């Protein structure tokens, strides 16, 4: 029962420990979250400022492209029919001042009846065999002739002239799908329009910004030309901002009628590597900025993955220190609480033990013994297995108290109680119910024959001399009565009463063993067996003198 109470107390502590631990975890998590939130807000502010600065640089570049295209178209309009050298000189100066522009081009609308004249002028400039043609991306940019149609939109001028760009003269924009769409929009109005990104013959990704001029005179001096278009070819990598945070990633896309177009003009990854754990645990900032104020509507997507190195060390160390300090306080409190609980549990155990045990001998008292007999009786009712009960009384124990004092009597009781407990099984119960009266519960012992050797062993243990202080040796005997459940009853009072009566019957008959046993027959043969004897040993004082010599018989039973 004591063990069950202790276990209940320990189980009762567990919820408190769990609540305190959970509170500490929540506090620590909140503390670190506060530190991280402050870091995140700082980085978010810095991130947004960098992204806005990047988009502002991009807007300046896009506005510059529109202004350069307008200036090129105005140049063509003012000169009307400038010579090729004039256009080349203007283009050289413009590209020198704005290196992000890859190429300047002029496209003319040539009606079907003027095609032959245009091709003759083109052959004179680009070489024999030059004519209006087209190519597709699917067949490896292989040139193909253009069939008959009402009008053609060939390239009549390109600058700079390179071996790779010269064969492009005569390319019919109306026959190239990704260029035709922008061409039709430019023909319908006077504003600038841009194409979707595409790969140049030279390889890099680019897009074209074009607008219709006001004059209709042909650069190639071909009579019958109906319209002229000025074009800027812009390489995609020239749009990458010069100043960029190496911890951010940038993706720039052109915007079409259905949204962002692929492929992106550029996709620049963060220069610093990102760990898998950082991707899983830390947030990622994303900002989408669009600009539709120019002829080149774009969307810039800037992302930044937070890294462990971004977290400032000072507040993090402060948070760690606070968390560890609170943990130390919590551990100290729990240790003190646990010690207090242990003291309370020990006090409870002592109080429980005192309430159920004899303070002199440490044996179970009457209350605990009756409880165990009740359990044994209930077990008999449930299983049919009986038990035996001894009632033991020390013979003439009063003479010890009267002759040597209660201290000696208490010492004798303590020694006898220990010997009785050691002479029975661990499952048996030895209890003290009065001054020199003891009872023994023997579960599983169902008859007198089984009880006889146990009783003999117990009486033999009691009869062993007890050596006390001052050289006193006491030899004491006991009387014993037996009752068996269910033969003599099943209730504790009934069984103890029967055993007590049997014990007194034996005592009156001058016997110390259960009636009907071999041990009882032996004591009937010697009615003058000793009941109590006190022997004083020789005690030598200083100089070898003998004090109180001889053996003195205190009493002898009859």
């Amino acid at each position: 029962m004591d063990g069950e109470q202790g276990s209940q107390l320990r189980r009762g502590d567990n919820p408190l420990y769990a609540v305190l631990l959970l509170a500490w975890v929540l506090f620590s998590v909140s503390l670190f979250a506060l530190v991280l939130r402050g870091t995140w807000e700082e980085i978010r502010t810095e991130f947004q400022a960098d992204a806005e600065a990047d988009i502002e640089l991009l807007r300046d570049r896009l506005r510059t492209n529109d202004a350069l295209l307008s200036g090129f178209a105005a140049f063509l309009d003012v000169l009307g029919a400038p010579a090729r050298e004039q256009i080349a000189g203007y283009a050289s100066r413009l590209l020198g001042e704005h290196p992000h522009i890859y190429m300047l081009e002029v496209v003319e609308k040539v009606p079907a009846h003027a095609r032959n004249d245009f091709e003759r002028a083109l052959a004179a400039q680009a070489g024999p065999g030059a004519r209006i043609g087209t190519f597709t991306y699917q067949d490896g940019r292989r040139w193909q002739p253009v069939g008959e149609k009402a009008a053609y939109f060939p390239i009549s001028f390109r600058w700079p002239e390179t071996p790779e760009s010269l064969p492009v003269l005569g390319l019919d924009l109306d026959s190239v799908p990704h260029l035709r769409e922008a061409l039709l929009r430019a023909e319908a109005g006077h504003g600038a329009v841009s194409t979707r990104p595409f790969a140049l013959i030279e390889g890099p990704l680019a897009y074209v910004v074009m607008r219709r001029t006001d004059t209709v005179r042909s650069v190639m001096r071909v009579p019958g030309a109906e319209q002229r278009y000025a074009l800027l070819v812009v390489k995609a990598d020239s749009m990458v901002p010069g100043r960029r945070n190496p911890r951010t990633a940038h993706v720039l896309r052109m915007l079409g009628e259905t949204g962002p177009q692929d492929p992106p003009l550029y996709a620049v990854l963060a220069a610093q590597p990102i760990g898998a754990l950082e991707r899983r645990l830390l947030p990622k900032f994303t900002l989408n900025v669009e600009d539709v104020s120019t002829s080149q509507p774009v969307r810039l997507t800037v992302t930044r993955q937070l890294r462990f190195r971004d977290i400032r060390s000072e507040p993090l160390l402060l948070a760690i220190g606070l968390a560890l300090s609170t943990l130390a306080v919590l551990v100290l409190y729990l240790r003190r609480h646990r010690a207090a609980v242990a003291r309370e549990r020990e006090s409870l155990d002592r109080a429980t033990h005192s309430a159920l045990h004899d303070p002199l001998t440490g044996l179970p008292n009457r209350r605990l013994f009756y409880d165990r007999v009740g359990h044994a009786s209930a077990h008999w009712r449930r299983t049919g297995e009986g038990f035996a009960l001894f009632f033991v009384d020390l013979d003439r124990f009063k003479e010890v108290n009267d002759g040597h004092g209660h201290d000696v009597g208490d010492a004798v009781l303590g020694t006898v109680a220990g010997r009785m407990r050691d002479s029975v099984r661990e499952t048996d119960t030895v209890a003290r119910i009065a001054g020199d009266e003891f009872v023994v519960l023997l579960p599983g012992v169902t008859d007198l024959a089984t009880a006889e050797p146990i009783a003999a062993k117990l009486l033999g243990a009691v009869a062993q001399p007890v050596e006390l202080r001052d050289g006193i040796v006491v030899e004491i005997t006991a009387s014993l009565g037996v009752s068996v459940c269910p033969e003599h009853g099943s209730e504790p009072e009934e069984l103890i009463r029967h055993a007590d009566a049997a014990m007194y019957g034996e005592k009156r008959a001058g016997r110390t063993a259960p009636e009907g046993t071999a041990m009882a027959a032996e004591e009937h043969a010697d009615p003058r067996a000793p009941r109590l004897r006190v022997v004083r040993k020789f005690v030598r004082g200083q100089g070898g003198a003998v004090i109180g010599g001889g053996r003195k018989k205190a009493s002898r039973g009859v």
Side-chain angles (χ1 to χ4, degrees):
M1 184 160 54
D2 297 344
E4 293 178 359
Q5 291 178 351
S7 179
Q8 290 174 359
L9 286 174
R10 287 190 292 272
R11 287 197 297 270
D13 294 340
N14 291 338
L16 174 63
Y17 298 156
V19 169
L20 291 177
L21 180 60
L22 178 61
W24 177 81
V25 171
L26 293 177
F27 169 77
S28 301
V29 170
S30 301
L31 192 61
F32 285 109
L34 185 63
V35 172
L36 293 178
R37 182 178 179 83
T39 302
W40 295 344
E41 290 302 326
E42 292 179 5
I43 293 178
R44 185 191 295 275
T45 302
E46 175 190 353
F47 168 74
Q48 290 180 342
D50 289 344
E52 290 173 359
D54 291 340
I55 193 65
E56 192 59 36
L57 291 174
L58 182 62
R59 288 192 182 104
D60 290 342
R61 186 69 51 83
L62 297 176
R63 295 189 190 102
T64 299
N65 292 343
D66 280 350
L68 294 177
L69 182 62
S70 296
F72 185 38
F75 170 79
L76 296 176
D77 287 337
V78 169
L79 295 184
R84 180 176 174 280
E85 290 75 12
Q86 292 176 305
I87 302 177
Y90 177 87
S92 296
R93 289 191 299 274
L94 188 148
L95 295 179
E97 296 173 359
H98 303 280
H100 72 280
I101 302 299
Y102 178 63
M103 187 168 289
L104 293 180
E105 297 179 344
V106 177
V107 172
E108 299 181 11
K109 182 178 180 180
V110 179
H113 63 81
R115 176 177 179 175
N116 292 334
D117 294 337
F118 180 84
E119 289 182 341
R120 282 194 294 271
L122 184 64
Q125 177 180 334
R131 61 183 185 277
I132 297 175
T134 186
F135 57 80
T136 62
Y137 286 88
Q138 288 76 19
D139 61 2
R141 297 179 182 269
R142 188 174 46 143
W143 279 90
Q144 297 177 352
V146 179
E148 296 292 334
K149 56 181 180 177
Y152 305 90
F153 295 84
I155 297 175
S156 60
F157 174 83
R158 297 194 84 193
W159 191 266
E161 289 183 345
T162 63
E164 293 84 9
S165 65
L166 191 61
V168 181
L169 291 175
L171 174 64
D172 180 27
L173 268 62
D174 186 49
S175 300
V176 181
H178 63 269
L179 299 176
R180 185 174 186 274
E181 178 184 354
L183 182 65
L184 294 178
R185 287 189 283 116
E187 187 180 19
H190 295 278
V193 298
S194 59
T195 67
R196 65 173 58 241
F198 63 93
L200 297 169
I201 292 179
E202 296 85 342
L205 196 67
Y207 69 94
V208 173
V209 189
M210 67 179 70
R211 67 177 299 156
R212 192 180 68 183
T213 64
D214 292 333
T215 59
V216 297
R217 298 182 65 178
S218 171
V219 174
M220 304 287 289
R221 306 293 196 278
V222 176
E226 296 183 356
Q227 190 59 58
R228 189 167 56 189
Y229 300 86
L231 282 73
L232 294 182
V233 181
V234 183
K235 290 178 66 174
D237 56 11
S238 68
M239 307 301 291
V240 178
R243 58 167 297 277
R244 186 177 61 83
N245 192 325
R247 291 172 290 187
T248 59
H250 293 64
V251 179
L252 182 66
R253 285 185 170 87
M254 300 291 293
L255 287 176
E257 295 180 357
T258 59
Q261 297 174 339
D262 283 321
L265 288 173
Y266 66 78
V268 181
L269 300 179
Q272 298 178 357
I274 303 173
L277 191 61
E278 292 173 326
R279 293 181 185 274
R280 187 178 299 272
L281 297 180
L282 300 181
K284 180 180 181 180
F285 302 138
T286 301
L287 182 64
N288 292 309
V289 184
E290 294 183 356
D291 189 311
V292 295
S293 62
T294 67
S295 63
Q296 309 140 79
V298 293
R299 171 185 287 179
L300 177 64
T301 301
V302 185
T303 59
R304 176 171 175 177
Q305 173 66 56
L306 194 67
R307 295 172 173 82
F308 291 123
R309 69 180 66 178
D310 295 329
I311 303 174
R312 291 192 298 141
S313 59
E314 294 84 358
L316 182 61
L317 292 177
L318 179 60
I320 293 174
L322 286 176
L324 293 178
S325 299
T326 54
L327 180 60
V329 171
L330 180 61
V331 170
L332 180 61
Y333 168 77
L334 291 178
R335 291 186 64 180
R336 291 187 175 181
H337 177 268
R338 193 176 186 87
V341 170
R343 289 193 299 269
E344 181 181 353
R345 184 182 302 125
E346 184 178 353
S347 299
L348 179 60
D349 290 343
R350 285 198 301 266
T352 303
H353 187 273
S354 298
L356 299 175
H357 292 78
D358 175 50
L360 177 61
T361 63
L363 295 177
N365 59 14
R366 180 185 296 270
R367 180 181 176 186
L368 180 55
F369 184 78
Y370 273 52
D371 180 72
R372 294 187 179 178
V373 173
H375 282 290
S377 180
H379 180 72
W380 164 73
R381 292 188 184 92
R382 187 171 60 254
T383 64
E385 182 182 36
F387 57 92
L389 190 147
F390 292 168
F391 192 98
V392 183
D393 180 77
L394 300 183
D395 297 328
R396 297 181 179 181
F397 179 71
K398 185 174 181 300
E399 297 179 12
V400 177
N401 285 333
D402 293 343
H404 300 279
H406 288 279
D407 290 344
V408 174
D410 290 346
V412 171
L413 286 176
T415 303
V416 169
R419 291 175 178 177
M420 292 176 65
R421 184 173 51 235
D422 295 338
S423 65
V424 296
R425 302 168 300 178
E426 291 184 359
T427 56
D428 300 335
T429 300
V430 180
R432 181 189 179 203
I433 60 174
D436 60 347
E437 294 178 347
F438 299 85
V439 285
V440 183
L441 173 65
L442 302 126
V445 177
T446 58
D447 52 51
L448 293 176
T450 306
E452 177 183 347
I454 302 175
K457 181 180 179 182
L458 186 147
L459 291 174
V462 172
Q464 295 296 318
V466 180
E467 184 175 353
L468 303 173
R469 58 180 175 81
D470 298 333
I472 298 175
V473 178
V474 177
E475 293 180 355
I476 192 168
T477 59
S479 298
L480 185 149
V482 183
S483 62
V484 178
C485 173
E487 180 180 349
H488 303 124
S490 60
E491 297 300 326
E493 290 286 357
E494 185 179 8
L495 292 168
I496 292 176
R497 188 168 54 252
H498 184 278
D500 186 20
M503 184 273 301
Y504 274 106
E506 294 297 311
K507 187 181 289 287
R508 286 192 297 271
R511 293 174 294 182
T512 58
E515 185 177 0
T517 64
M519 185 177 178
E522 292 176 2
E523 295 206 0
H524 275 298
D526 186 8
R528 298 182 59 83
R531 296 292 185 178
L532 173 66
R533 186 172 59 181
V534 179
V535 180
R536 184 174 299 276
K537 288 186 176 180
F538 289 104
V539 180
R540 294 186 179 273
Q542 293 182 356
V546 178
I547 301 174
R551 294 169 58 90
K552 180 181 178 182
K553 296 183 180 178
S555 66
R556 180 179 294 277
V558 180

